[in-house]
Amino acid sequence: MIRITRDQIQYALDKRFPAVVTIDSGEILCLETWDARTGTIQGEGDLFVRPHPKGANPVTGPIAVRGAEPGDGLAVTILDIKLDKRGFTGIRPKLGVLGHRITDFKT
């Protein structure tokens, strides 16, 4: 099994980024990922309203598949997902599902 750690990330899906690994079809991978803010939100004091310095929604990879060509369809089977102990959400006044119920930004 190939492990790709969460320090091997990008902040966009872009073909210009070099692959961190090239795999064969059918190979099993273990991908470590970050949350949408790369672990910078640890409590209510870490306001989600502040932009992350590098961007939001980091992606682990990219991963190249040996023999795959532009236009090919790739199927992925997720065997397991393990969640972190902590999660977060941010709500803003007048935005989103609860936005009508708050007056200040909340994390």
Side-chain angles (χ1 to χ4, degrees):
M1 178 179 350
I2 296 172
R3 176 180 296 283
I4 302 174
T5 59
R6 65 185 187 179
D7 63 326
Q8 297 174 291
I9 59 173
Q10 298 294 339
Y11 287 90
L13 298 173
D14 192 319
K15 67 182 180 180
R16 293 178 293 171
F17 297 131
V20 298
V21 68
T22 299
I23 64 168
D24 291 313
S25 179
E27 196 140 14
I28 296 176
L29 302 172
C30 176
L31 302 176
E32 295 178 1
T33 61
W34 282 107
D35 60 39
R37 283 307 191 81
T38 322
T40 59
I41 306 294
Q42 293 295 312
E44 292 180 33
D46 301 320
L47 291 178
F48 184 64
V49 72
R50 291 187 202 118
H52 186 277
K54 294 184 180 179
N57 300 317
V59 294
T60 303
I63 300 163
V65 179
R66 199 170 281 113
E69 298 289 335
D72 286 353
L74 302 176
V76 175
T77 301
I78 298 173
L79 301 175
D80 190 23
I81 296 177
K82 294 180 182 163
L83 300 176
D84 199 18
K85 295 174 188 168
R86 180 185 304 253
F88 70 90
T89 190
I91 52 177
R92 298 178 187 194
K94 298 184 172 78
L95 290 175
V97 176
L98 298 174
H100 68 287
R101 300 192 70 184
I102 64 165
T103 57
D104 296 320
F105 188 89
K106 302 286 183 190
T107 300

